[in-house]
Amino acid sequence: MVANSSDEKKGLDSYLKMPLVGGAVIGFAAALIQALLFAAGGPQAYGFCVACHSRDLINYVYNSLTGSNLFLAPFSANAVAAGTLPVLTIIGVLVGAIAAAALYKEFRVKKGDAKSYLAYGIGGILFMIFALCMGACPYRLALRIGYGDLVAVFGLIAIIIGIFIGIKIALKRMEA
Amino acid sequence: MIDGFLIPKETAVLLVPIATIILGLVIGWFGQRSGFCSIGGIRDYLLFRQTRLLKGYVALIISAFAFYLIFSLLVPAAIPSFLWCLQDGQLLTAIGGAPAVSVAGVIVLMIIGGIFVGLIGTLLGGCPLRQLVMTSEGNLKSLVFVVGMLAGAVIFTALVSPWIIEVFKAIGL
């Protein structure tokens, strides 16, 4: 019995380890959230976005602390106006990944040097600014393309060009 | 069914934090187990012709299309303007674009934003979901990236976004 249940667990985990399954589940879950909760507010194709959902959460915190009135998407703004909280997707992702990493003993502290922290800090700031220029991270971009937004296809092509440039730079650095 | 919605507005707004935190937990778990990464998928394909991660991103687009289609038939009010490009005879209009910016302006923002999103994501080892998951796995560099993202969001909303609208107005986009 014990062996059986551990086999089952392994079987399920082998599916969870397939990005193909994860992608299909994210697409389904994002569409389901809109189907259930669109009355709370738009925009469309807003079920999952790391950039926009982080923006809603941090702007809510910033507004609460400073009394300012930074923008939140209607989906979050209406929830806040009703006395509850904005989207908490990002907290969910962090906690879900910590739980999985702990259960499978894959949690390991990895430190960097001061130079790398500086690069990642500035990189994070710039990444978010450019992602919000697009109104999407690569995830909401995928949702928007699935929704039939052709403008989002320009974003995907641009991301591919950016990745291509990034690879060239990385390869050149390795040669040097 | 109220106004064609499954859940009326007064209840839906209360469910926003709960529904999204559950969604996040599921995606976080999947992301940790699979190493899911959108930018990594395209990078691995361009570099090594590996399709493992890329399949995930393609599956996301197809799955989103399929389920938006299904839900648009079941709950039409909740999936308005599905197949966006076929609305109002305008092939190119953007979902959720700032009303002050024209479609041409949105496309310019898409191209500039996209290039840097792809570039930064490639140089620093992953898309924003991957950075969140690596943070949860104990990677302190990713933690710094995530803190930077949060700071970037406030900077964008407070400073960059109004500036872009000003500039675009001045050059007629």
Side-chain angles (χ1 to χ4, degrees), chain A residues 127-153:
Chain A
F127 186 95
M128 184 59 116
I129 289 173
F130 285 113
L132 289 174
C133 277
M134 305 175 72
C137 71
Y139 294 92
R140 181 156 187 250
L141 201 66
L143 298 180
R144 283 171 62 164
I145 293 171
Y147 212 91
D149 179 353
L150 283 187
V151 171
V153 176

Side-chain angles (χ1 to χ4, degrees), chain A residues 44 147-148, chain B residues 76 79-85 87-88 95:
Chain A
Q44 289 91 334
Y147 212 91
Chain B
I79 317 285
S81 311
F82 175 62
L83 293 179
W84 196 271
C85 57
Q87 304 296 313
D88 312 323
I95 292 177

